[in-house]
Amino acid sequence: MIYIHIPFCRRKCTYCAFFSLAGQQEKDRYVDALCQEIERRSRGYNTPVKTLYFGGGTPSQLSPQQLNRIVATLHRCFDLSHVAEATIEANPDDLTPQYLQDIAALHIFNRISIGVQSFRDSDLLTIGRIHNSQQALQAIDNAYRAGFDNITIDLIYGLPKQTVDDWQHQLQMVEQLPIQHLSCYALTVEPHTILDQQIRKGIVQPAPEATAIEQYNLLCQWALEHGWDQYEVSNFCRAGHRSLHNSRYWNRTPYLGFGAAAHSFDGISRRWNCSSLRQYCEGIEQQKQYYEEETLSPRDAFNEYMMTALRTTAGIDKQTVNRLFAPYSDYLRQQLQPYLQSQLLIETATAYQPTQQGLLHADGIASELFILNDEETSLC
């Protein structure tokens, strides 16, 4: 697994807490540094790459020539002959027929993720998106006509002034689109974002929690009725189109992350690059340290697994717990009992799986299962 972070955006969305930069500054310098990082860290890496993901920010803010430089470097440094899924994130306003033709000609990307967020222009204005609903529909059509047969889009519910009927209309529009995957996220107000400031100043009124819950339940029912498989709390797909890359994050597959703010995981330790364009580029250019790393304790690894596993419909795999977290297995069984009794989780022969309502409360359940110190497990 390889993740490439492209931090550039045309404009910062009001809700975004990811590392991204509005403007066009220093793209060539960044691509130079990124290619150098790939070359240096690939030495001695012999494992064939199965999935590739260009995320951001907005990767489609790079020119086809800049993308080609990165792809050529990856080809030179890694065995990409086994890549089953290569995704690029894009904004609708970037996806002209010519741009899509150019990135298709790179012969690497077979999946495109389009940041639609909403098909209502008023919603898009509220959250600071540049494109409009017609551009979003046109971008999806352009991608389909360019030969992309694995298209995923992002939508957000729980938006200010978005009613349940508004959300239902969004889903009805999805039914008519040539897409195979859908990511639907509840709007989260992250600290220090523009949206957070707008809410604090009373400029924007957040949606009632009850409305967001009703919209989530409507989404799950719609997916069931229309043949979409919900395999993670926010992710839905048609048969055979689960995101291979994201699924591997959730089952603790090791991965390499390149670029500013990108994370890597080798099964034992985590490494993350600095969230600064200047510090990242200078670190690469001057061969100074531009990252931090930590070795995960068994307790940390257990807590991370609880957080990711409970967000998936597959749930907590018993065999994985026995293999990796055996000292905590008795503690886990005891802590799970209230959620099994309340039917937020169900137990099968192989797993503890969240129900539809359990998925809605996945993060809260996981936090209750976290081990803060090993004395907790000895008391059970």
Side-chain angles (χ1 to χ4, degrees):
M1 287 175 62
I2 289 179
Y3 173 79
I4 305 290
H5 191 72
I6 307 300
F8 304 104
C9 289
R10 199 182 304 274
R11 185 171 70 191
K12 189 84 170 178
C13 298
T14 64
Y15 58 86
C16 182
F18 292 110
F19 173 63
S20 59
L21 303 165
Q24 309 297 312
Q25 71 275 26
E26 300 194 282
K27 287 183 182 177
D28 284 330
R29 182 189 183 194
Y30 182 77
V31 171
D32 286 342
L34 180 60
C35 290
Q36 288 183 56
E37 185 192 8
I38 292 169
E39 289 174 348
R40 292 174 191 171
R41 293 181 61 199
S42 66
R43 293 166 190 161
Y45 188 91
N46 300 314
T47 304
V49 177
K50 301 292 183 64
T51 63
L52 179 63
Y53 197 103
F54 279 54
T58 313
S60 58
Q61 280 289 285
L62 293 187
S63 69
Q65 293 75 25
Q66 290 166 327
L67 288 170
N68 185 53
R69 280 199 57 206
I70 301 169
V71 170
T73 302
L74 289 167
H75 270 294
R76 188 169 63 251
C77 297
F78 293 97
D79 178 4
L80 302 185
S81 62
H82 298 275
V83 170
E85 179 186 277
T87 303
I88 182 169
E89 292 182 350
N91 276 351
D93 42 301
D94 293 326
L95 295 182
T96 63
Q98 184 61 58
Y99 189 85
L100 284 157
Q101 181 180 324
D102 289 341
I103 63 172
L106 299 177
H107 301 295
I108 186 68
F109 298 112
N110 58 13
R111 185 174 183 267
I112 189 163
S113 176
I114 305 176
V116 172
Q117 315 310 354
S118 176
F119 290 110
R120 295 178 73 232
D121 289 343
S122 58
D123 289 341
L124 296 170
L125 286 172
T126 297
I127 57 178
R129 301 292 288 178
I130 292 176
H131 70 274
N132 59 41
S133 57
Q134 187 56 45
Q135 285 176 306
L137 292 169
Q138 188 62 60
I140 295 167
D141 186 63
N142 288 347
Y144 178 72
R145 291 176 183 274
F148 286 93
D149 59 4
N150 194 355
I151 302 171
T152 177
I153 67 171
D154 290 351
L155 292 177
I156 301 177
Y157 61 93
L159 291 169
K161 298 183 180 180
Q162 182 191 61
T163 67
V164 174
D165 286 343
D166 292 334
W167 180 238
Q168 185 170 34
H169 180 64
Q170 303 278 304
L171 298 176
Q172 288 170 346
M173 293 187 70
V174 169
E175 296 167 23
Q176 313 303 320
L177 300 175
I179 66 172
Q180 294 71 41
H181 190 280
L182 179 64
S183 295
C184 295
Y185 302 100
L187 180 67
T188 302
V189 182
E190 299 287 354
H192 311 302
T193 58
I194 298 171
L195 180 61
D196 180 42
Q197 296 172 16
Q198 290 174 333
I199 289 174
R200 289 176 183 275
K201 293 177 181 178
I203 299 171
V204 172
Q205 295 296 319
E209 182 180 1
T211 300
I213 292 173
E214 190 173 352
Q215 289 169 335
Y216 169 78
N217 289 331
L218 175 64
L219 168 65
C220 294
Q221 186 61 36
W222 170 87
L224 185 64
E225 291 174 356
H226 291 84
W228 289 77
D229 172 29
Q230 182 181 19
Y231 65 104
E232 193 264 352
V233 64
S234 303
N235 286 277
F236 304 77
C237 68
R238 298 193 188 278
H241 286 89
R242 292 189 180 193
S243 169
L244 300 178
H245 187 88
N246 288 341
S247 295
R248 288 176 175 166
Y249 284 139
W250 303 325
N251 66 17
R252 304 186 78 250
T253 300
Y255 57 89
L256 289 173
F258 299 107
H263 285 233
S264 302
F265 175 60
D266 64 6
I268 299 172
S269 62
R270 293 202 178 279
R271 165 174 167 158
W272 58 98
N273 292 346
C274 61
S275 297
S276 163
L277 183 68
R278 179 185 60 80
Q279 291 179 15
Y280 172 75
C281 290
E282 287 181 358
I284 298 291
E285 294 160 353
Q286 301 172 23
Q287 298 194 37
K288 300 188 299 186
Q289 184 156 322
Y290 55 90
Y291 61 87
E292 297 181 62
E293 55 189 338
E294 66 174 351
T295 299
L296 294 178
S297 69
R299 184 176 68 239
D300 291 337
F302 173 88
N303 290 345
E304 284 195 4
Y305 179 65
M306 292 301 108
M307 179 61 75
T308 55
L310 283 172
R311 290 184 60 86
T312 70
T313 53
I316 300 168
D317 180 70
K318 293 179 180 179
Q319 189 174 43
T320 298
V321 171
N322 291 333
R323 177 169 53 88
L324 298 177
F325 310 115
Y328 303 135
S329 58
D330 290 341
Y331 162 84
L332 178 63
R333 278 193 294 271
Q334 181 168 330
Q335 296 300 107
L336 287 173
Q337 292 310 306
Y339 305 107
L340 293 169
Q341 292 168 9
S342 62
Q343 296 188 320
L344 292 176
L345 300 176
I346 58 171
E347 182 176 6
T348 71
T350 59
Y352 300 102
Q353 298 174 327
T355 60
Q356 178 181 317
Q357 288 305 303
L359 285 172
L360 184 61
H361 299 282
D363 291 348
I365 297 172
S367 67
E368 291 297 318
L369 299 177
F370 284 173
I371 301 171
L372 302 182
N373 59 72
D374 285 324
E375 291 181 2
E376 290 180 305
T377 60
S378 65
L379 295 175
C380 295

